[in-house]
Amino acid sequence: MDYAYPWDQLIAHFKFQENPAWAGHFAALMRSAPWVEPALEAADFVIPMPLARERLLQRGFNQSALLARHLSPDKTLEQVLLRVINTPAQSALDRKDRQDNVRHAFAMEPLRRGAVSDKRIVLLDDVMTSGASMRAAATTLRHAGAAHITALVFARTGVDAATA
């Protein structure tokens, strides 16, 4: 989806108004895109973008983890990719600052570092704007030995509505 009206408001309601029930609906819509099902089938694991501990406590749930559980419950792998730095919200930053903001924000859980070695990963998030967070998380997974990483998001800024 294009991260514009009405999707931007629905996503905000999902994330910030304590309405996790939207996850099932968003996952169903994601499955309707022709490239999602093959990506999920080919994956060994679906890894949701992690939230910093502070943001998780504030929100009460990780929206990406909820989406992952609805998309592929048997392949969802949580708590292996960690957000180790509670960075400012990406939405308030320009492109360069977004890249700098998340450069060292992710790490592998030390006791599970080998879990992604030689595996095909779907890295899942609800919204992608500049791609800086996805890129930083994917780099962390790649350094841990992931063989292939596919990024899937529910909404993307700047998407042509004809291709959404």
Side-chain angles (χ1 to χ4, degrees), residues 102-114:
V102 294
R103 182 165 286 126
H104 302 291
F106 300 98
M108 297 300 293
E109 172 16 84
L111 298 177
R112 299 178 72 192
R113 185 174 180 84

Side-chain angles (χ1 to χ4, degrees), residues 16 51-61 83 86-90:
F16 307 118
L51 292 177
R53 182 178 179 276
E54 296 84 356
R55 194 152 301 146
L56 182 59
L57 289 172
Q58 178 186 41
R59 194 171 294 160
F61 63 95
R83 184 129 190 181
N86 185 20
T87 58
Q90 292 286 85

Side-chain angles (χ1 to χ4, degrees), residues 7-112:
W7 301 108
D8 57 342
Q9 293 179 15
L10 292 172
I11 292 166
H13 194 260
F14 168 49
K15 288 169 65 166
F16 307 118
Q17 303 297 316
E18 298 179 19
N19 197 344
W22 278 104
H25 301 292
F26 290 165
L29 286 169
M30 287 180 77
R31 282 192 174 277
S32 69
W35 55 84
V36 171
E37 208 62 48
L40 293 172
E41 288 175 14
D44 294 301
F45 298 118
V46 176
I47 297 180
M49 286 291 285
L51 292 177
R53 182 178 179 276
E54 296 84 356
R55 194 152 301 146
L56 182 59
L57 289 172
Q58 178 186 41
R59 194 171 294 160
F61 63 95
N62 177 338
Q63 71 280 356
S64 299
L66 289 178
L67 283 172
R69 289 182 215 140
H70 281 279
L71 282 171
S72 190
D74 296 340
K75 293 184 178 183
T76 297
L77 183 62
E78 297 178 59
Q79 304 304 317
V80 68
L81 178 66
L82 306 175
R83 184 129 190 181
V84 293
I85 299 174
N86 185 20
T87 58
Q90 292 286 85
S91 58
L93 304 172
D94 65 27
R95 183 174 184 84
K96 183 188 179 322
D97 289 339
R98 286 176 188 215
Q99 292 170 348
D100 293 341
N101 189 42
V102 294
R103 182 165 286 126
H104 302 291
F106 300 98
M108 297 300 293
E109 172 16 84
L111 298 177
R112 299 178 72 192

